[in-house]
Amino acid sequence: MKEIQEIVDHSVSAINAKTTDIKIKNNESQSTKAQCAESQASESQNTKTQNDQNLPPYSQKREYVLIDHDKPWTYEENGLTVTRGSAWTGPGCHIGCGVLLYTDSSGKLVKVEGDPENPFNGGRLCVRCLDLPEVTNSDKRLTYPLKRDKAKRGRNEWERISWDEAFNIIEAKFKELAKEYGPESVLFMQGTGRDIAAWISRLAWSYGSPNYGFPLSGLACYLPRVSGMYSTTGSFWVCDCAQQFPDRYANPKYQAPEVMILWGNNPLVSNSDGFFGHWVIDLQKMGMKTIVCDPRMTWLGAKAEIQLPVRPGTDAALALGLLNVIVSEDLYDHEFVELWCYGFEELAKRVLEYPVERVAEICWVNAEDIYAAARLFAKAKRACVQWGVAVDMTREALPAIQAIAALTQITGNIDRPGGMIIPPEILFYGGGFGADLLSKEQTAKRLGSDKYSLLKFGFATFQPDVAMEAMETGKPYAIKALWLQTTNTIACMGADPKRWLKAAQQMDFIVCVDLFFTPTIMALADIVLPAATYPERDGLRIGDGPQRGETINKVTQIGECKSDMQINLELGRRLNPSAWPWANVKDMFSALIKETGYDFDGLREVAPAYPKYIYHKHEKGLLRPDGQPGFNTPTGRIELWATVYANAGLDPLPYFEEPEPGPGSTPELLAEYPLVLTTGARNWGMFHSEHRNIPRLRALRPDPLIEVHPQTAERYGLKDGDWVWVENQRDRAKRKVKVTDVLLDPRYCSTDHAWWFPEADPENLYDVFDLNINNNVTWTPGKSGFGSNYKCMLVKLYKVK
């Protein structure tokens, strides 16, 4: 293995020598932040230079661009009050569309529409936002705090209590546990994408627990891509769809991609990474071509130039096959690779191990389509990849991520118009909020940090599989309590939910914060705190790659519900007052957005505020703390041969490893389990385990479905509407059959996830263990600690009797 320090020294010296004569594109100033800031200042009169914060180098001393609103943030219209704001959860997804909230004279939310003045979504909304009043006003909402004796867990027997009593109980118990077992004995867990990461992480760290995170094996949603990109490039990257400009596609600096790969993501239904799916349609109208990597035919697949129906779990092999074509046919960007990439020669040798014909056999994809897709992508002047959680949800996710990312890297589609760009963030979302509050001694106790060194790249979370073992065994130390905020673990995130439930039942104390009763609350909670939906609270939309700063504006109040931020602030002040110095949430928000030059009320008047965007940051020294050209990696380059991985004892190059079990790894199982199942298919009316109790949205998807190819249905004697068991060697779950040819291979089947029946018996946990497809999933992380086989397994189907 190469000596890492020699690699770093040689590469940095080479970059310094080669970048001396780099000509910065578009005649923009080069080299230093000072020069760059000077050139920015002369570009616009409608901007404001801000103060530094503890942000990545490219985020400092930024200017902000505003849009001209025709109306103020709140106004009257036809007898209703209209309030402009951002839709960030709960309920629903986490991209923060611009909304108009309509309330009547009593303060009741009666209608939601898209805000046509908001450049992000341009007035377009999904059915979940449009039906928000039914969620906020639901009579099934949790509206006041509840407590239950620990001995009655699993029973629907609750006592109403005041907020003061709830906080008194939690404060006393947490202080008792910290004294006896240490604050690390409390795990703080959240669900996906909720607007709480900054606040729950601060709550955990100010209490003294390093153990904030997600109850998801292998952190197998988004975080593998975050860690993978930070490890090899120093930044996270998204497709350039002009989302960073308030004038969007009309911005003179913008050039649309010629080709976009949609990989493991159906963005019209599932909006990941701050990506609004209808941007794809906008760009298609502008002439962009698409390549879709998906075993199912979707609306976007039908509009694609090429669809590659990749076998679930073989994404790395497909990417390596595409790279093989690009390298073998000399279609890569020689100048970009020479100047800005490290390890190309090693990568070129590795991809020779994946000839297209071999890859076609592995992935069940036509070889000619692989050739055609590689050539189309590499020959485009501008190209990008929009990917989703399907890439994360295989055990060896990191090498797949590394290979897919290399497609854009060796073709030079990095940090330039129409390629992959770094999303500007006001809050460095990945770093949490308050990491400085945690001592080095306590940080070292973070579960999994000693076993998986890559945890420090991206999000500062515990490793869930290690946490799971600690809950069961008490090693390396005892876990005594859970703080579960907006996570319905046994219905949605947790692999092998029966195992997770058994471990959680051993805890001395459990607090749940949510909107509705859930199977997780019914099974486990000792204290329940009622959270507010976003029309019931003030808030910020500034993290998770949103490209702009916006406010969430309170318009109504339901019962005694409090916002997640208010809950965290009030409890945080009890546990560690000096870490929570703010009088109210508005003051807390104002402190967080200080760099914009606005307080909360001021930002609300002008939002959205867009950080002024700069392309070619790597050429201008805006990505590295030392102000030198290059990327924030040990070598200063994009690392195709990853020094961080090598230091962690991992293969520094991308590779493919068959998911296990699977057709390539356990062929002996095919006789009994002949079908490849992919899980987590999204649908319009539901977000993960939410919305099952909302009548209009439930009407769109009354039951959990498994999609079955017509040939498969005929083979097993199945028809539409049949209830079947979906079983593997681990367990089974119940589904209703939908026979459809959207599956492009009869060897596949596909199902949605996170099912429970709110109408079922609460003390049977709403039938969750009959319905949860994660019954079939194990806690099995990848070598890096990232990735797990949620979306690729072998199953059989048989009718429910």
Side-chain angles (χ1 to χ4, degrees), residues 515-690:
L515 308 175
F516 296 90
F517 277 119
T518 66
T520 303
I521 287 176
M522 195 59 62
L524 294 170
D526 303 316
I527 300 289
V528 179
L529 303 179
T533 60
Y534 67 82
E536 301 169 69
R537 66 176 178 87
D538 291 321
L540 296 172
R541 183 65 180 100
I542 58 173
D544 196 21
Q547 297 86 40
R548 76 275 179 209
E550 296 192 66
T551 59
I552 301 160
N553 301 314
K554 181 174 180 175
V555 300
T556 191
Q557 176 68 43
I558 302 297
E560 299 177 16
C561 296
K562 294 178 183 281
S563 73
D564 290 289
M565 305 84 213
Q566 183 73 35
I567 292 169
N568 292 158
L569 173 62
E570 291 189 27
L571 181 59
R573 280 198 298 234
R574 288 168 172 258
L575 298 175
N576 186 350
S578 64
W580 301 83
W582 308 285
N584 52 56
V585 290
K586 282 190 179 181
D587 287 350
M588 184 167 65
F589 298 152
S590 295
L592 202 60
I593 60 173
K594 182 180 179 181
E595 67 131 317
T596 67
Y598 298 101
D599 61 12
F600 178 82
D601 288 330
L603 181 61
R604 176 160 59 186
E605 294 286 345
V606 301
Y610 281 75
K612 195 160 190 180
Y613 196 77
I614 306 166
Y615 287 115
H616 308 296
K617 298 180 185 70
H618 66 286
E619 297 176 347
K620 304 169 185 177
L622 294 177
L623 298 183
R624 290 172 50 166
D626 59 8
Q628 294 300 308
F631 297 84
N632 193 21
T633 63
T635 62
R637 303 186 184 203
I638 289 173
E639 296 193 350
L640 304 172
W641 190 97
T643 58
V644 168
Y645 293 175
N647 273 330
L650 301 170
D651 192 328
L653 291 167
Y655 60 91
F656 167 65
E657 185 173 299
E658 276 280 357
E660 187 177 343
S665 59
T666 56
E668 68 278 6
L669 293 178
L670 290 174
E672 185 172 1
Y673 305 107
L675 299 173
V676 175
L677 173 67
T678 182
T679 71
R682 305 301 196 253
N683 62 76
W684 294 103
M686 296 170 177
F687 184 72
H688 294 300
S689 69
E690 293 182 336

Side-chain angles (χ1 to χ4, degrees), residues 451-469:
K451 184 176 182 180
Y452 300 114
S453 62
L454 296 190
L455 283 176
K456 65 184 178 181
F457 291 94
F459 282 65
T461 66
F462 61 70
Q463 207 289 329
D465 302 82
V466 176
M468 176 76 210
E469 293 174 3

Side-chain angles (χ1 to χ4, degrees), residues 382-596:
R382 297 172 300 279
C384 61
V385 174
Q386 165 57 23
W387 49 8
V389 299
V391 179
D392 305 317
M393 289 191 163
T394 185
R395 190 173 63 199
E396 293 308 318
L398 247 57
I401 291 160
Q402 189 180 10
I404 295 169
L407 293 169
T408 60
Q409 293 160 358
I410 70 170
T411 55
N413 285 294
I414 294 294
D415 199 17
R416 72 181 193 185
M420 303 297 288
I421 61 170
I422 298 170
E425 295 182 349
I426 294 173
L427 167 67
F428 179 39
Y429 185 81
F433 177 40
D436 56 309
L437 299 170
L438 199 61
S439 70
K440 290 183 178 180
E441 178 186 7
Q442 286 302 106
T443 299
K445 295 179 183 178
R446 181 169 290 132
L447 289 169
S449 61
D450 56 338
K451 184 176 182 180
Y452 300 114
S453 62
L454 296 190
L455 283 176
K456 65 184 178 181
F457 291 94
F459 282 65
T461 66
F462 61 70
Q463 207 289 329
D465 302 82
V466 176
M468 176 76 210
E469 293 174 3
M471 289 167 63
E472 293 175 317
T473 67
K475 297 178 181 180
Y477 48 77
I479 305 301
K480 291 294 182 178
L482 304 178
W483 173 274
L484 303 176
Q485 191 163 1
T486 65
T487 175
N488 185 6
T489 309
I490 64 173
C492 186
M493 300 183 85
D496 192 352
K498 295 174 186 176
R499 177 185 171 193
W500 191 89
L501 175 60
K502 183 178 179 181
Q505 287 170 332
Q506 300 176 37
M507 301 298 105
D508 289 350
F509 186 58
I510 300 174
V511 182
C512 292
V513 185
D514 221 315
L515 308 175
F516 296 90
F517 277 119
T518 66
T520 303
I521 287 176
M522 195 59 62
L524 294 170
D526 303 316
I527 300 289
V528 179
L529 303 179
T533 60
Y534 67 82
E536 301 169 69
R537 66 176 178 87
D538 291 321
L540 296 172
R541 183 65 180 100
I542 58 173
D544 196 21
Q547 297 86 40
R548 76 275 179 209
E550 296 192 66
T551 59
I552 301 160
N553 301 314
K554 181 174 180 175
V555 300
T556 191
Q557 176 68 43
I558 302 297
E560 299 177 16
C561 296
K562 294 178 183 281
S563 73
D564 290 289
M565 305 84 213
Q566 183 73 35
I567 292 169
N568 292 158
L569 173 62
E570 291 189 27
L571 181 59
R573 280 198 298 234
R574 288 168 172 258
L575 298 175
N576 186 350
S578 64
W580 301 83
W582 308 285
N584 52 56
V585 290
K586 282 190 179 181
D587 287 350
M588 184 167 65
F589 298 152
S590 295
L592 202 60
I593 60 173
K594 182 180 179 181
E595 67 131 317
T596 67

Side-chain angles (χ1 to χ4, degrees), residues 77-356:
E77 182 181 283
N78 299 326
L80 299 175
T81 300
V82 186
T83 304
R84 186 174 69 235
S86 177
W88 205 11
T89 57
C93 78
H94 40 88
I95 61 171
C97 289
V99 292
L100 299 175
L101 305 177
Y102 291 75
T103 49
D104 64 16
S105 58
S106 70
K108 182 179 180 179
L109 180 69
V110 296
K111 183 172 69 169
V112 177
E113 292 184 353
D115 182 0
E117 291 187 346
N118 192 301
F120 184 80
N121 57 308
R124 296 170 288 194
L125 283 183
C126 74
V127 66
R128 295 192 300 266
C129 269
L130 294 172
D131 197 39
L132 179 63
E134 191 179 20
V135 180
T136 295
N137 299 319
S138 172
D139 60 5
K140 298 180 178 66
R141 288 279 306 279
L142 292 166
T143 57
Y144 45 79
L146 299 167
K147 73 175 182 179
R148 177 177 62 182
D149 188 272
K150 178 183 174 182
K152 295 183 178 180
R153 287 179 183 171
R155 292 159 60 179
N156 191 22
E157 299 180 20
W158 303 93
E159 178 185 345
R160 179 174 180 171
I161 58 175
S162 68
W163 277 100
D164 275 345
E165 183 177 355
F167 282 138
N168 286 341
I169 294 171
I170 298 167
E171 177 188 4
K173 190 63 178 178
F174 276 17
K175 287 182 176 179
E176 174 190 322
L177 292 171
K179 183 177 181 180
E180 186 168 353
Y181 300 99
E184 64 272 13
S185 66
V186 181
L187 303 185
F188 292 78
M189 301 187 189
Q190 73 163 89
T192 182
R194 277 289 171 78
D195 181 18
I196 64 167
W199 326 110
I200 185 176
S201 60
R202 189 176 188 89
L203 180 63
W205 298 335
S206 63
Y207 170 64
S209 174
N211 291 319
Y212 150 70
F214 305 80
L216 181 74
S217 177
L219 293 162
C221 175
Y222 181 51
L223 301 188
R225 282 172 289 143
V226 173
S227 182
M229 291 297 89
Y230 272 93
S231 298
T232 58
T233 72
S235 306
F236 190 64
W237 302 86
V238 297
C239 278
D240 183 7
C241 300
Q243 64 267 46
Q244 69 275 26
F245 298 123
D247 50 353
R248 296 300 303 275
Y249 310 117
N251 188 281
K253 294 182 179 180
Y254 183 67
Q255 294 177 283
E258 291 184 350
V259 175
M260 177 186 291
I261 298 180
L262 298 171
W263 200 309
N265 178 226
N266 182 11
L268 296 185
V269 183
S270 175
N271 307 120
S272 66
D273 310 344
F275 187 95
F276 185 68
H278 286 273
W279 298 341
V280 179
I281 299 173
D282 294 342
L283 294 170
Q284 286 177 324
K285 291 177 179 178
M286 297 166 65
M288 184 186 76
K289 296 178 180 179
T290 56
I291 300 165
V292 172
C293 300
D294 196 320
R296 299 172 68 250
M297 178 58 68
T298 62
W299 189 92
L300 288 173
K303 305 293 181 183
E305 197 78 5
I306 301 168
Q307 175 141 3
L308 302 174
V310 57
R311 171 164 66 89
T314 65
D315 304 271
L318 179 58
L320 286 161
L322 294 168
L323 289 168
N324 179 293
V325 177
I326 294 170
V327 172
S328 299
E329 298 187 3
D330 198 23
L331 300 176
Y332 63 93
D333 185 327
H334 285 251
E335 180 182 3
F336 188 86
V337 167
E338 175 72 10
L339 286 174
W340 304 113
C341 294
Y342 178 77
F344 177 77
E345 293 80 7
E346 290 88 344
L347 176 68
K349 292 178 182 177
R350 175 59 58 87
V351 302
L352 291 178
E353 300 173 19
Y354 295 88
V356 170

